[in-house]
Amino acid sequence: MNQKTALHAFDQAVALESVGTDTFCGRSPEAYANMVGPYGGIIAATLLNAALQHDERQGDPISMTVNFAGPVTDGGYQVVASARRTNRSTQHWFIELSQQGVVAATATVLLAVRRDTWGDTEVSMPHVPPFESIDRLDIGRYLTWVKNYDFRVVQGHFDPGGAIEDTGDSLTRLWVKDLPRRPLDYLSLMAISDCFFPRIFVRKQQRMPVGTVSLTTYFHADRDSLARQGDRPLLAEAHAQRYSQGYFDHTGKLWGEDGELLATTHQMVYFKD
Amino acid sequence: MNQKTALHAFDQAVALESVGTDTFCGRSPEAYANMVGPYGGIIAATLLNAALQHDERQGDPISMTVNFAGPVTDGGYQVVASARRTNRSTQHWFIELSQQGVVAATATVLLAVRRDTWGDTEVSMPHVPPFESIDRLDIGRYLTWVKNYDFRVVQGHFDPGGAIEDTGDSLTRLWVKDLPRRPLDYLSLMAISDCFFPRIFVRKQQRMPVGTVSLTTYFHADRDSLARQGDRPLLAEAHAQRYSQGYFDHTGKLWGEDGELLATTHQMVYFKD
């Protein structure tokens, strides 16, 4: 057995090879194929990985914004990650993914060394049935990337079979974890922050051409939070705020199974109706 | 009277002079001074202005993320704005502000040409007393930049005099408009999206060292929305989600006086307690 087959599909997907100053090579992961190109969450995690495996890395993720500028096609890509400013405890990155010299995604990342302070959470994890009590999503009817997750939809399902009517809002709550099991880290948390079906699918209960154009995730989890969470399921929730002239936003939260708010996330999505 | 004195303070503050390919020069606006350097919202608007006045500009703002990498000091700065990818209807920018070769802020901006689609808003403007019925914020007790806005706090005040106790949450609702009057445009909407006092000031009712590290705004308003809003007050609301180890996030909404959701906005803020 070679080393590659021993790696989790997620780790294979986000792998980058250093090929020069600030420059890495990677390859579109077939296991995470989406409508066009790979699942956006896996591209986001790959870009974050460029900063985290860079020699100059200092600190852990605080925030990341990824802009999806065009389709990522099959085959290889180049990722350039540049630390634009390093302070005593913070570091700001600009990262860009390109194929044949054409930019397909850009990202900014803030890393920081965290320290103890007063803390509090002003929002509450909703009361929902436990992960084990809910049937697993029947992945056969969804795109390839969905096979890498165990989804248990609590509320706000999208049924591509058309069995649900427009309910007037797009709030979804679901349990999600990597499949096969994998302990949560910053990379998988970033990837999962894009795991929501497009809110307009839930709202209208129909597929249409869509694409996330900008995704921002704020990391509240530190390394201890990640270790406590391990490979247990996360509770993910999101709802749209406004749909207007070809774009809608959503705002979401990712909770650890024990009720800790691990990340908050927002995105703007293109749609064509 | 020369032309400069005829310009609104806001337009003076965000002004940039083109000095070469992708490169502009500007100057820290004293009228918008904050604790350290200028008000973040005016820096954000200035960076957006670089894309909007660039020869290659195509479309109107859909989303913007600004990362504040270090203090902007008095004096001049350089802004470099580069269109990383231009598609048929979308355009992705990377923008960087530096002083003496040191990066102080980075930003990504998505512009797009909007077109008519189905639309809806899934959140509702809260019922609040009208702007005229609320006393204007006594700006004498706040920092310089506050003088450029007419703030009317509906709920969730920060009183630097210590007259309010910790209320257990940080939700603020306030009316805000430029002072003197100025019709709303994308630049002023971007600036106002940073107008909230740090949530931890509201929560703890005390000042402490803080600084926004990353700010994202999604624009739902098109040109017609901006024209309808004109120079009327906006209703702005925001609340923190989690404070942890030196950072907290907030999520906010900016409503037109007529109840239209003009923008949604999020930020991650450093604090030292």
Side-chain angles (χ1 to χ4, degrees), chain B residues 236-265:
Chain B
E237 56 174 341
H239 65 90
Q241 300 195 104
R242 186 174 177 196
Y243 312 81
S244 176
Q245 297 188 297
Y247 292 88
F248 67 87
D249 69 328
H250 86 219
T251 179
K253 303 183 189 80
L254 300 175
W255 302 92
E257 198 184 31
D258 62 0
E260 181 179 353
L261 184 60
L262 302 175
T264 45
T265 182

Side-chain angles (χ1 to χ4, degrees), chain A residues 62-63 65 67-71 84-85 87 89-90 92-94 96 102-104 106-123 166 168-171 199-200 203-204 213-216 218-222 225 228 239-253 260-262 264-268 270-273, chain B residues 62-63 65 67-71 84-85 87 89-90 92-94 96 102-104 106-123 166 168-171 199-200 203-204 213-216 218-222 225 228 239-253 260-262 264-268 270-273:
Chain A
I62 299 293
S63 71
T65 295
N67 288 335
F68 299 96
R84 306 308 298 159
R85 179 159 176 159
N87 298 309
S89 71
T90 60
H92 287 266
W93 292 83
F94 178 61
E96 211 165 56
V102 179
V103 171
T106 68
T108 55
V109 169
L110 169 61
L111 304 180
V113 179
R114 289 177 172 276
R115 46 181 189 75
D116 284 340
T117 60
W118 172 83
D120 192 35
T121 304
E122 292 194 3
V123 287
D166 182 333
D169 87 45
S170 67
L171 175 64
R199 295 299 85 200
I200 201 165
R203 177 62 192 276
K204 306 282 270 185
V213 290
S214 189
L215 164 65
T216 290
Y218 297 144
F219 297 89
H220 302 295
D222 65 3
S225 314
R228 279 193 299 273
H239 65 89
Q241 300 194 104
R242 186 174 178 196
Y243 312 82
S244 176
Q245 297 188 302
Y247 291 89
F248 67 87
D249 69 329
H250 86 218
T251 178
K253 303 183 189 78
E260 180 178 353
L261 184 61
L262 302 176
T264 44
T265 181
H266 316 282
Q267 61 177 266
M268 195 69 157
Y270 163 85
F271 71 98
K272 189 166 186 295
D273 66 355
Chain B
I62 299 292
S63 71
T65 295
N67 288 337
F68 298 96
R84 307 306 299 160
R85 177 156 177 164
N87 298 309
S89 71
T90 60
H92 287 267
W93 291 84
F94 179 60
E96 210 165 55
V102 178
V103 170
T106 68
T108 55
V109 169
L110 169 61
L111 305 181
V113 179
R114 289 177 173 274
R115 47 181 189 74
D116 285 340
T117 60
W118 172 82
D120 192 34
T121 303
E122 290 194 3
V123 287
D166 183 333
D169 87 44
S170 67
L171 175 65
R199 298 297 84 200
I200 201 166
R203 175 64 192 276
K204 306 282 268 184
V213 289
S214 188
L215 164 64
T216 290
Y218 298 144
F219 296 89
H220 302 295
D222 65 2
S225 314
R228 279 193 299 273
H239 65 90
Q241 300 195 104
R242 186 174 177 196
Y243 312 81
S244 176
Q245 297 188 297
Y247 292 88
F248 67 87
D249 69 328
H250 86 219
T251 179
K253 303 183 189 80
E260 181 179 353
L261 184 60
L262 302 175
T264 45
T265 182
H266 317 282
Q267 59 178 267
M268 195 68 158
Y270 163 86
F271 71 96
K272 189 166 187 293
D273 66 356

Side-chain angles (χ1 to χ4, degrees), chain A residues 196-213:
Chain A
F196 304 96
F197 293 113
R199 295 299 85 200
I200 201 165
F201 288 14
V202 174
R203 177 62 192 276
K204 306 282 270 185
Q205 291 296 322
Q206 62 182 69
R207 285 202 175 104
M208 61 185 83
V210 293
T212 299
V213 290

Side-chain angles (χ1 to χ4, degrees), chain B residues 196-235:
Chain B
F196 302 97
F197 293 114
R199 298 297 84 200
I200 201 166
F201 289 14
V202 174
R203 175 64 192 276
K204 306 282 268 184
Q205 291 295 323
Q206 62 181 71
R207 284 202 177 105
M208 62 186 81
V210 293
T212 299
V213 289
S214 188
L215 164 64
T216 290
T217 298
Y218 298 144
F219 296 89
H220 302 295
D222 65 2
R223 292 178 182 209
D224 290 342
S225 314
L226 297 172
R228 279 193 299 273
Q229 174 64 16
D231 62 8
R232 293 191 290 165
L234 282 81
L235 184 72

Side-chain angles (χ1 to χ4, degrees), chain B residues 50-252:
Chain B
L52 297 190
Q53 74 176 62
H54 197 290
D55 289 342
E56 295 170 20
R57 173 213 178 146
Q58 179 188 288
D60 287 333
I62 299 292
S63 71
M64 178 174 201
T65 295
V66 186
N67 288 337
F68 298 96
V72 175
T73 57
D74 289 348
Y77 42 68
Q78 188 184 63
V79 176
V80 176
S82 164
R84 307 306 299 160
R85 177 156 177 164
T86 300
N87 298 309
R88 199 159 46 102
S89 71
T90 60
Q91 188 174 55
H92 287 267
W93 291 84
F94 179 60
I95 306 165
E96 210 165 55
L97 183 150
S98 57
Q99 292 183 299
Q100 284 83 47
V102 178
V103 170
T106 68
T108 55
V109 169
L110 169 61
L111 305 181
V113 179
R114 289 177 173 274
R115 47 181 189 74
D116 285 340
T117 60
W118 172 82
D120 192 34
T121 303
E122 290 194 3
V123 287
S124 299
M125 181 165 160
H127 296 284
V128 298
F131 174 85
E132 294 75 15
S133 70
I134 301 169
D135 285 341
R136 194 183 151 201
L137 187 75
D138 174 8
I139 55 170
R141 298 152 74 201
Y142 298 86
L143 294 157
T144 301
W145 70 270
V146 175
K147 297 182 174 62
N148 300 287
Y149 292 102
D150 184 340
F151 282 113
R152 313 277 173 116
V153 180
V154 173
Q155 176 180 352
H157 209 325
F158 160 57
D159 183 335
I164 304 172
E165 309 237 322
D166 183 333
T167 54
D169 87 44
S170 67
L171 175 65
T172 289
R173 290 174 171 150
L174 56 81
W175 291 105
V176 56
K177 62 177 189 173
D178 284 293
L179 203 69
R181 284 167 181 276
R182 182 180 179 282
L184 190 70
D185 59 15
Y186 287 113
L187 298 178
S188 59
L189 185 56
M190 186 66 216
I192 286 173
S193 74
D194 191 35
C195 80
F196 302 97
F197 293 114
R199 298 297 84 200
I200 201 166
F201 289 14
V202 174
R203 175 64 192 276
K204 306 282 268 184
Q205 291 295 323
Q206 62 181 71
R207 284 202 177 105
M208 62 186 81
V210 293
T212 299
V213 289
S214 188
L215 164 64
T216 290
T217 298
Y218 298 144
F219 296 89
H220 302 295
D222 65 2
R223 292 178 182 209
D224 290 342
S225 314
L226 297 172
R228 279 193 299 273
Q229 174 64 16
D231 62 8
R232 293 191 290 165
L234 282 81
L235 184 72
E237 56 174 341
H239 65 90
Q241 300 195 104
R242 186 174 177 196
Y243 312 81
S244 176
Q245 297 188 297
Y247 292 88
F248 67 87
D249 69 328
H250 86 219
T251 179

Side-chain angles (χ1 to χ4, degrees), chain A residues 155-172:
Chain A
Q155 177 181 351
H157 209 326
F158 161 56
D159 184 334
I164 304 171
E165 310 237 321
D166 182 333
T167 54
D169 87 45
S170 67
L171 175 64
T172 289

Side-chain angles (χ1 to χ4, degrees), chain B residues 14-33:
Chain B
V14 300
L16 290 171
E17 183 189 358
S18 174
V19 293
T21 309
D22 291 347
T23 308
F24 301 85
C25 281
R27 175 163 279 276
S28 282
E30 288 169 23
Y32 284 81

